[in-house]
Amino acid sequence: MTFEIAHNNINVLNLEKSLAFYKEALGLTEVRRKEAADGSFILVYLGDGLSTHQIELTWLADRKEPYNLGDNESHIAFAASNYEAAHKKHKEMGCICFENPEMGIYFINDPDDYWLEIVPKK
């Protein structure tokens, strides 16, 4: 028996704002969408076009307050093919929230304050 990682879930307050961020910051595009018949939720799966791994954005109609993200130690990492260009883009977007030059990594935060790690592609 084997298991393949399918997706990670992120709950969002403003689906359109999150979709725009993930498209601009990371080039992720919508792969598929599921909407509840009663309008209570929308699931949008984003892909990078390079791997089968996806990020699932979950929007819940009755959620109005920000999610408690704890210490933000859990994160998703992205390998950038051009680390310097990625850093410049994210700096211009104003979304870099933490840098560790010694390790050669930095983090950006999305509209809901989830931290996303950016590493150079090896």
Side-chain angles (χ1 to χ4, degrees):
M1 178 182 334
T2 64
F3 297 91
E4 179 180 340
I5 297 172
H7 69 265
N8 289 81
N9 171 265
I10 295 175
N11 286 26
V12 301
L13 288 177
N14 184 322
L15 183 58
E16 295 309 315
K17 187 174 181 179
S18 293
L19 288 170
F21 172 83
Y22 281 93
K23 173 76 173 164
E24 182 181 355
L26 300 165
L28 302 183
T29 58
E30 185 172 331
V31 174
R32 64 188 167 100
R33 177 183 290 239
K34 178 174 176 61
E35 299 188 32
D38 65 359
S40 62
F41 70 85
I42 299 173
L43 307 177
V44 177
Y45 295 85
L46 303 177
D48 59 16
L50 303 170
S51 69
T52 59
H53 191 103
Q54 298 175 351
I55 295 178
E56 172 190 0
L57 300 183
T58 298
W59 174 82
L60 302 172
D62 61 350
R63 183 69 182 214
K64 304 300 180 219
E65 61 281 340
Y67 290 92
N68 180 348
L69 304 181
D71 293 331
N72 239 337
E73 291 295 327
S74 297
H75 61 272
I76 301 170
F78 293 85
S81 61
N82 185 329
Y83 183 83
E84 290 76 21
H87 187 275
K88 181 177 187 260
K89 176 185 184 73
H90 294 142
K91 188 170 188 160
E92 290 169 358
M93 289 177 66
C95 61
I96 295 176
C97 57
F98 180 77
E99 294 187 63
N100 188 329
E102 291 176 4
M103 290 182 69
I105 64 170
Y106 67 93
F107 290 80
I108 61 175
N109 54 345
D110 81 352
D112 291 280
D113 204 31
Y114 289 99
W115 282 30
L116 308 163
E117 182 179 6
I118 309 298
V119 301
K121 190 168 187 167
K122 297 189 187 236

